[in-house]
């Protein structure tokens, strides 16, 4: 990977991750002393509640105020949610969580013994309600709450925290089971983010398992200011601007069997199906710790993710967290019957045929065969493809900030003239148009 590409993607990573560069919270106030008395989250505050909103921005509550996303000054909570009015005695937000209703999200706020249900910052009819009416068996004056969908919990549930007790509310049966997690710090707020669960306490956070409460010994707590907000002298910092789509270059892209779409560039990767949780770039080693120097190509097949680097193939089980299959990596020759370096690779849905791009040719490999061998060697009407993916709308071959589209593998194989290139857009890769 060229240094230019590494630097470029690092700019993208910094612009989209939790440590996104922005004016620090303690920067001089432009409009005089108007905001002089606002709380400063970078002072190490303990939040009353945290949650994602409908659009994937994180809300942090403290007293009568909230912060909307990772940077910027505090504002009154009722500026965004007018019914949450501390000035009229309702009280500060004790707990909050976001839950999906069909194809949209609702955000719930808990204040004393009341619950407020918002959609697009508008209070739903009939709210606020008593907590006991909306969530029977759940106590009032909560410390924290977080949603837990089926697959991560046994059933679609909400975890309600009060002291060391965790009240697990089953959404379908409206029943509660109470656990005691003495090993976990008392959570003053909680957050589910990219299928991980975080307990905030003081200015620190601890990641935990939503079923057992288990946490990684010796790893936590960590300072939230390094991960969940932009603060001077914490996290990445810097003066980086979002990368433009006209400048983007990726190494590989794929969608796994669970519908999660990943793209890779240099030492980083990003999940593209998480717009409602925000687009965030991470080191590749965070998800695939054995792959330490980037990837050349990736593809998904039979609930496994294949990462190719040089002449090595790494195969991971596509469970909740990827696990390298014993005996890997293996060479391209051993695993796929291919020699030489790979530019890109893809498998279409419900197909057993792997398409490998090398220079100006496409090799087809039958993934059901043992051993695997190349079955076809087809020409490609251009060279230097960076990445490729196949989805319901066809095939996209990426080359720099442009891509070539084919409606099917058959049309790609038959084509002798390159289609008109199209520009990568922000909707595709989260860059800036």
């Amino acid at each position: 990977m060229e240094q230019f590409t590494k630097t470029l993607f690092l700019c993208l990573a910094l612009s989209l991750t939790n440590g996104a560069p922005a004016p620090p919270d303690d920067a001089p106030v432009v409009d005089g002393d108007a905001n002089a008395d606002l709380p400063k989250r970078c002072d190490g505050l303990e939040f009353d509640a945290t949650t994602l909103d409908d659009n994937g921005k994180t809300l942090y509550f403290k007293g009568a105020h909230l912060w909307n996303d990772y940077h910027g000054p505090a504002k009154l909570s009722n500026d965004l949610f007018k019914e949450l009015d501390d000035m009229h005695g309702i009280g500060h937000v004790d707990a909050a969580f976001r839950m999906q209703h069909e194809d949209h999200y609702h955000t719930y706020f808990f204040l004393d013994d009341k619950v407020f249900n918002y959609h697009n910052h508008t209070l739903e009819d009939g709210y606020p309600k008593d907590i006991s009416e909306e969530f029977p068996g759940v106590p009032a004056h909560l410390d924290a709450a977080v949603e837990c969908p089926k697959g991560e919990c046994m059933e679609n549930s909400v975890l309600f925290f009060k002291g060391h007790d965790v009240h697990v509310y089953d959404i379908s049966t409206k029943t509660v089971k109470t656990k005691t997690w003495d090993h976990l710090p008392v959570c003053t707020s909680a957050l589910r983010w990219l299928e991980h669960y975080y307990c905030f306490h003081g200015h620190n956070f601890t990641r935990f398992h939503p079923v057992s409460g288990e946490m990684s010994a010796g790893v936590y707590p960590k300072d939230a200011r390094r991960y969940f907000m932009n603060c001077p002298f914490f996290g990445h910092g810097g003066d980086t601007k979002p990368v433009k789509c006209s400048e983007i270059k990726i190494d590989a892209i794929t969608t796994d069997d669970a519908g999660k779409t990943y793209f890779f560039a240099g030492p980083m990767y990003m999940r593209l199906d998480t717009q409602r949780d925000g687009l965030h770039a991470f080191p590749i080693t965070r998800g695939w710790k054995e792959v330490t120097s980037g990837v050349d190509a990736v593809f998904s097949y039979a609930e496994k993710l294949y990462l190719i680097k040089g002449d090595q193939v790494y195969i991971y089980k596509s469970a909740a967290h990827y696990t390298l299959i014993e005996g890997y990596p293996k060479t391209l020759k051993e695993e796929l019957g291919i020699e030489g370096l790979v530019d890109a690779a893809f498998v279409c849905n419900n197909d057993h045929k792997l398409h490998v791009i090398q220079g100006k040719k496409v090799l087809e490999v039958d993934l059901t065969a043992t051993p695997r061998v190349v079955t076809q060697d087809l020409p490609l009407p251009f060279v230097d493809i960076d990445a490729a993916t196949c989805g319901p709308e066809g095939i996209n071959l990426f080359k720099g900030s442009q891509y070539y589209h084919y409606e099917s593998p058959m049309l790609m194989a038959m084509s002798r003239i390159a289609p008109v290139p199209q520009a990568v857009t922000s909707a595709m890769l989260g860059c800036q148009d």
Side-chain angles (χ1 to χ4, degrees):
M1 172 59 58
E2 297 178 358
Q3 185 63 35
F4 172 77
T5 302
K6 290 183 179 179
T7 303
L8 181 61
F9 193 73
L10 181 59
C11 293
L12 175 64
L14 292 177
S15 70
L16 295 173
T17 56
N18 292 353
D25 289 330
D26 60 354
V29 178
V30 175
D31 56 350
D33 295 330
N35 295 330
D37 295 329
L38 291 180
K40 304 288 193 299
R41 56 178 157 186
C42 292
D43 289 345
L45 298 180
E46 181 172 79
F47 299 115
D48 297 325
T50 54
T51 185
L52 295 167
D53 70 5
D54 296 1
N55 299 312
K57 290 187 176 181
T58 309
L59 304 175
Y60 304 87
F61 290 85
K62 183 65 177 180
H65 294 85
L66 64 76
W67 293 267
N68 186 12
D69 217 1
Y70 304 118
H71 53 80
K75 59 183 69 176
L76 286 171
S77 301
N78 56 23
D79 283 353
L80 290 180
F81 305 97
K82 63 181 181 180
E83 293 81 9
L84 304 181
D85 191 345
D86 273 353
M87 302 303 293
H88 291 83
I90 294 177
H92 70 263
V93 175
D94 296 323
F97 70 88
R98 184 187 71 175
M99 186 163 62
Q100 187 167 1
H101 288 236
E102 298 177 350
D103 61 345
H104 58 276
Y105 288 91
H106 285 239
T107 309
Y108 292 81
F109 301 109
F110 297 81
L111 294 84
D112 298 333
D113 61 351
K114 302 295 183 184
V115 56
F116 296 70
N117 176 1
Y118 284 87
H119 174 54
N120 283 336
H121 293 186
T122 301
L123 188 67
E124 293 288 278
D125 291 342
Y127 289 87
K129 294 181 180 180
D130 289 343
I131 294 174
S132 58
E133 177 186 355
E134 182 78 351
F135 299 98
V138 173
H141 303 282
L142 293 161
D143 292 328
V146 66
E147 74 279 14
C148 187
K150 185 176 182 179
E152 297 170 31
C153 282
M154 298 301 294
E155 301 293 340
N156 290 323
S157 308
V158 182
L159 309 182
F160 293 98
F161 295 80
K162 189 167 185 176
H164 286 290
D165 289 338
V166 181
H167 307 275
V168 183
Y169 182 84
D170 187 311
I171 293 171
S172 61
T173 64
K174 297 186 177 182
T175 56
V176 176
K177 293 182 180 179
T178 300
K179 306 175 182 180
T180 300
W181 288 347
D182 289 326
H183 58 282
L184 191 68
V186 173
C187 307
T188 60
S189 63
L191 182 70
R192 173 182 178 265
W193 185 65
L194 297 180
E195 294 98 45
H196 292 303
Y197 292 79
Y198 300 92
C199 163
F200 291 85
H201 44 97
H203 59 79
N204 293 320
F205 71 93
T206 295
R207 201 176 95 187
F208 66 93
H209 192 284
V211 176
S212 66
E214 181 182 356
M215 53 189 186
S216 300
V219 177
Y220 294 94
K222 294 182 179 180
D223 195 317
R225 291 171 291 183
R226 294 189 177 276
Y227 297 88
F228 286 94
M229 60 200 69
N230 182 282
C231 292
F233 311 113
F234 291 90
H236 296 294
D239 187 26
T240 309
K241 296 181 180 179
V243 68
K244 295 181 179 179
C245 293
S246 60
E247 299 171 334
I248 198 141
K249 184 179 184 298
I250 65 175
D251 295 332
I253 186 169
T254 191
T255 301
D256 68 12
D257 294 325
K260 299 175 184 177
T261 299
Y262 301 89
F263 86 75
F264 300 78
M268 310 294 288
Y269 81 94
M270 184 183 292
R271 264 184 63 184
L272 298 175
D273 60 303
T274 59
Q275 286 88 346
R276 294 290 183 145
D277 285 350
L279 291 170
H280 301 271
F282 299 100
I284 292 174
T285 51
R286 182 181 186 268
W288 303 274
K289 63 182 180 180
E290 295 83 5
V291 183
T292 58
S293 58
V295 301
D296 296 327
V298 297
F299 67 91
S300 302
Y301 176 71
E303 298 184 351
K304 297 180 180 67
L305 191 69
Y306 292 67
L307 279 72
I308 300 173
K309 178 63 177 179
D311 69 343
Q312 300 291 299
V313 181
Y314 300 77
I315 304 181
Y316 290 83
K317 295 178 182 178
S318 298
H321 304 290
Y322 289 96
T323 304
L324 185 67
I325 293 177
E326 186 176 354
Y328 286 86
K330 293 183 178 179
T331 66
L332 276 167
K333 183 66 175 177
E334 288 178 285
E335 184 63 31
L336 300 173
I338 293 173
E339 295 181 347
L341 299 180
V342 173
D343 294 322
F346 65 90
V347 177
C348 295
N349 293 338
N350 302 316
D351 196 3
H352 303 287
K353 191 181 297 180
L354 170 66
H355 304 265
V356 177
I357 298 175
Q358 288 185 315
K360 213 170 181 179
K361 63 182 180 180
V362 181
L363 307 179
E364 292 186 355
V365 178
D366 183 355
L367 294 174
T368 64
T370 304
R372 291 167 173 168
V373 295
V374 175
T375 57
Q376 286 200 74
D377 184 336
L378 303 170
L380 194 66
F382 37 71
V383 72
D384 295 330
I385 292 300
D386 298 320
T389 185
C390 181
E393 296 180 354
I395 299 165
N396 289 333
L397 305 182
F398 293 87
K399 183 175 181 178
S401 61
Q402 296 181 317
Y403 68 97
Y404 301 90
H405 180 76
Y406 293 95
E407 292 185 0
S408 69
M410 182 181 69
L411 292 176
M412 185 182 72
M414 295 172 57
S415 176
R416 296 297 177 264
I417 301 175
V420 176
Q422 303 178 54
V424 168
T425 66
S426 59
M428 297 175 70
L429 298 180
C431 45
Q432 187 179 77
D433 288 334

